Amino acid sequence: MRYGQIVLGPAGSGKSTYCSTIVRHAADARKIVEVVNLDPAAEYFDYEPLADIRELIHVDDAMQDEDMHFGPNGGLVFCMEYLLENLDWLEEQLGDSDDDYILFDCPGQIELYTHMTVIRQFAEVLTQKLNFRLCAVFLLDSQFLVDGPKFLSGTMTALSVMVNLELPHLNIITKMDLLSKAARKQLDNYLEPDPHVLLSELADSSSKWNQKHAKLSEALGKLIEDYSLVRFCPLNIRDEESIADVLLTIDNIIQYGEDNDVKTRDFEEPDPDDNEESADAFNI
């Protein structure tokens, strides 16, 4: 059995930063977590990828093709579809080792997750052919969840992703370290949200749009309350306890380590003779 996270979210939500943080945290615990970059438009990330889609196809290849004339969004979709048609390349890059733990760092085009089937088809190949046990990790920037309207929008986006992918799922609020203390207190109201409070904020708004669509907002709030499908887990990448809590939650979801030995990296053990020599030198 192999284990993995499909890391999703809008552009700028912190997907690559999340991946590098998990890799670093795992290394500190002497565990191996690898990352596969699936963003054909990526310019920089702070990790060494196990596989990089840009070696197969780059978004510029699709955009500069004289026949297709794709823009950035169309180019990203084409690249992901091209990956599906050439999964033998990815399979070769991944190898066939058991007990792997791999993060798949996806592009920031939200349509790929909310209503298109490309990522779902990719996940099906991983689970059915490559023997992966997966969790979808959807990231959302904390700074876009500090008022009622934005929270409703973010929640419905997360719900769309959950329904579309049909995978075990965790929603994470990122960039908690960038919030002020006042904003953090405000955000606490949305970790265990009360739709009635959120709707009252909309009702008190002077916006004509909010007044006109009050019934729609009420229906969305009722949906969130009745089914309780969407909850957010905060992540502060500067807090090791916060990182450990998120990783423990995901590991429980995919049952990582329950029936397999934890894969560790080989580290050189200290030579006892070196310690004796250091002690003798100190005594001198």
Side-chain angles (χ1 to χ4, degrees):
M1 181 62 66
R2 309 167 86 177
Y3 305 87
Q5 302 177 28
I6 297 186
V7 184
L8 316 164
S13 58
K15 296 183 294 299
S16 296
T17 301
Y18 168 84
C19 290
S20 60
T21 299
I22 296 299
V23 169
R24 174 185 56 78
H25 181 83
D28 290 342
R30 296 194 173 189
K31 298 179 182 179
I32 301 175
V33 174
E34 303 282 4
V35 185
V36 171
N37 174 47
L38 295 181
D39 185 358
E43 296 182 357
Y44 171 79
F45 38 75
D46 190 20
Y47 57 77
E48 186 65 33
L50 174 65
D52 190 341
I53 191 177
R54 296 176 302 177
E55 297 177 1
L56 176 68
I57 186 170
H58 196 284
V59 69
D60 290 342
D61 299 333
M63 293 175 60
Q64 294 173 2
D65 188 281
E66 295 180 357
D67 296 327
M68 294 183 291
H69 299 290
F70 283 125
N73 291 341
L76 281 172
V77 174
F78 177 83
C79 290
M80 297 307 295
E81 292 176 343
Y82 187 82
L83 174 65
L84 285 179
E85 296 173 357
N86 295 272
L87 283 173
D88 53 336
W89 170 84
L90 180 62
E91 188 173 356
E92 182 180 348
Q93 298 293 315
L94 297 180
D96 56 359
S97 176
D98 287 334
D99 303 336
D100 282 343
Y101 198 132
I102 299 176
L103 311 180
F104 296 91
D105 186 6
C106 294
Q109 188 179 7
I110 197 67
E111 304 99 293
L112 292 171
Y113 323 130
T114 54
H115 59 276
M116 298 184 71
T117 61
V118 176
I119 299 298
R120 185 173 68 193
Q121 291 174 328
F122 175 73
E124 289 173 352
V125 172
L126 292 179
T127 55
Q128 297 175 12
K129 182 179 179 181
L130 301 183
N131 200 31
F132 270 91
R133 190 174 288 167
L134 294 175
C135 175
V137 180
F138 183 72
L139 309 184
L140 209 55
D141 192 330
S142 60
Q143 300 185 63
F144 293 98
L145 291 175
V146 291
D147 62 43
K150 291 180 181 177
F151 178 82
L152 285 178
S153 175
T155 299
M156 295 308 298
T157 302
L159 182 58
S160 297
V161 175
M162 294 170 65
V163 172
N164 187 36
L165 295 186
E166 300 178 350
L167 285 173
H169 194 99
L170 180 67
N171 298 302
I172 296 179
I173 301 178
T174 60
K175 303 184 182 180
M176 292 291 294
D177 54 304
L178 301 181
L179 292 179
S180 64
K181 290 184 178 180
R184 289 182 190 178
K185 290 182 179 179
Q186 189 177 2
L187 190 61
D188 288 342
N189 297 328
Y190 302 108
L191 297 180
E192 293 294 335
D194 183 346
H196 298 290
V197 175
L198 301 180
L199 291 173
S200 66
E201 293 181 9
L202 296 177
D204 295 339
S205 172
S206 60
S207 170
K208 292 183 179 180
W209 195 98
N210 288 338
Q211 295 173 3
K212 181 179 179 180
H213 298 87
K215 290 185 178 180
L216 174 60
S217 299
E218 183 179 354
L220 293 177
K222 191 172 186 302
L223 176 68
I224 295 172
E225 181 181 34
D226 289 348
Y227 292 93
S228 299
L229 291 174
V230 180
R231 287 291 183 273
F232 291 97
C233 180
L235 172 63
N236 184 345
I237 63 172
R238 300 184 184 278
D239 184 346
E240 291 296 324
E241 185 176 350
S242 175
I243 300 170
D245 288 344
V246 167
L247 193 54
L248 178 61
T249 300
I250 297 173
D251 289 349
N252 287 336
I253 291 174
I254 61 178
Q255 299 178 320
Y256 174 69
E258 291 190 4
D259 53 0
N260 298 89
D261 294 331
V262 175
K263 192 173 182 181
T264 60
R265 190 183 302 276
D266 292 330
F267 291 85
E268 293 184 3
E269 296 294 334
D271 189 341
D273 295 336
D274 292 341
N275 293 334
E276 292 177 2
E277 292 177 1
S278 299
D280 292 342
F282 180 78
N283 291 331
I284 291 174

